[in-house]
Amino acid sequence: MLKLAGARLLEERDAMLVRSVLDSAPVAACMVAARVEEAGIHPLRLGGELWGYGSKLTGMCFSGANLIPLRGGPDAMRAFADRALRRRRVCSSLVGPTEQVLALWDEVAAQWGPARDIRAEQPLMVLAESPRIAPDPLVRQVRPDELDRYLPAAIAMFTEEVGVDPCSDGGAASYRARVADLIATGRAFARFEGGEVVFKAEIGAMSRTVGQIQGVWVHPDRRSTGLGTAGTAAVADRLIRGLGRTASLYVNDYNVAARLAYRKVGFRRIGSFSTVLL
């Protein structure tokens, strides 16, 4: 039987090919591109490894806190699975383009499963021009001194979305630090009323061309009032007009209200993501 070529650890000499892969799908690759542009390819700086398949990188995958297969067919996914299964699992999820994520999960599920949740259909959406609706003028960047007021909303959003309290099992300090970093770097946005967050969202990853909006949340008492739509428009407007990026996000297919809100803002679907939560 012909032995398949394996996945290899990418190095600085692969930098041009890596950039070519990332540039070929800037929206889908935003999470990885943002890391590479800031830190380069070396694992110690990158916070994970970049794996390649084929001499011309017909397959590429990021392995870190998340396993993100960006491109490649069945042979590449088998090669990435083989490399992943030869070590202790460190990722908490698989996320990325649907075709690659689901194929890679099929290869590792027997040893890594069962999954806590599989979100097989998540529309990947973009907005490159000004929002179709007026941005909420009261949505602004969160200040560092507002961390303690912002943090409960961030915890509530994470718990609702992922199904796990990020502060459980000793995670409180690391989650607080993560949120504090988003605030310090100007990527956390909120509308405060009476000192309480009623809308929040963040720019989770930002490459030189694309910014990915995440963590959109509206206080339960203020839902279905338009706050989420106008608030998302405000964050998208900041990305597009203020930072010169294309705004992107992905959303669970079953979240009909959110999908409708994003379409009202002007987002259009360009593909599909999937997420496997472990």
Side-chain angles (χ1 to χ4, degrees), residues 82-235:
D82 178 68
R83 189 175 182 97
L85 293 173
R86 283 189 276 113
R87 58 183 67 192
R88 181 178 62 86
R89 177 174 67 83
V90 296
C91 65
S92 61
S93 70
L94 283 71
V95 61
T98 292
E99 178 184 354
Q100 283 72 34
V101 167
L102 296 184
L104 183 53
W105 175 243
D106 283 345
E107 297 291 339
V108 301
Q111 294 190 46
W112 284 4
R116 189 158 48 81
D117 193 11
I118 299 177
R119 299 174 181 183
E121 186 66 21
Q122 297 174 303
L124 178 64
M125 309 179 79
V126 298
L127 178 64
E129 63 281 339
S130 295
R132 292 178 184 168
I133 67 169
D136 185 342
L138 297 182
V139 170
R140 58 172 176 79
Q141 287 178 313
V142 180
R143 301 190 306 267
D145 64 291
E146 295 172 316
L147 171 62
D148 287 331
R149 285 194 284 165
Y150 183 81
L151 190 60
I155 293 170
M157 178 282 305
F158 190 100
T159 303
E160 289 179 29
E161 174 65 20
V162 181
V164 174
D165 183 343
C167 298
S168 63
D169 298 326
S174 61
Y175 188 72
R176 181 185 177 89
R178 176 182 171 188
V179 174
D181 181 67
L182 287 168
I183 293 174
T185 54
R187 292 184 288 143
F189 298 81
R191 173 172 171 158
F192 292 87
E193 291 183 0
E196 185 178 30
V197 174
V198 295
F199 167 85
K200 68 162 286 292
E202 296 135 9
I203 301 171
M206 189 165 65
S207 71
R208 56 186 169 82
T209 58
V210 179
Q212 187 178 88
I213 298 172
Q214 68 174 30
V216 178
W217 181 86
V218 177
H219 192 285
D221 294 342
R222 301 297 303 278
R223 291 173 186 174
S224 301
T225 63
L227 276 180
T229 306
T232 302
V235 181

Side-chain angles (χ1 to χ4, degrees), residues 23-41:
D23 290 345
S24 69
V27 176
C30 176
M31 289 183 284
V32 177
R35 289 173 172 269
V36 171
E37 289 169 13
E38 179 180 0
I41 298 174

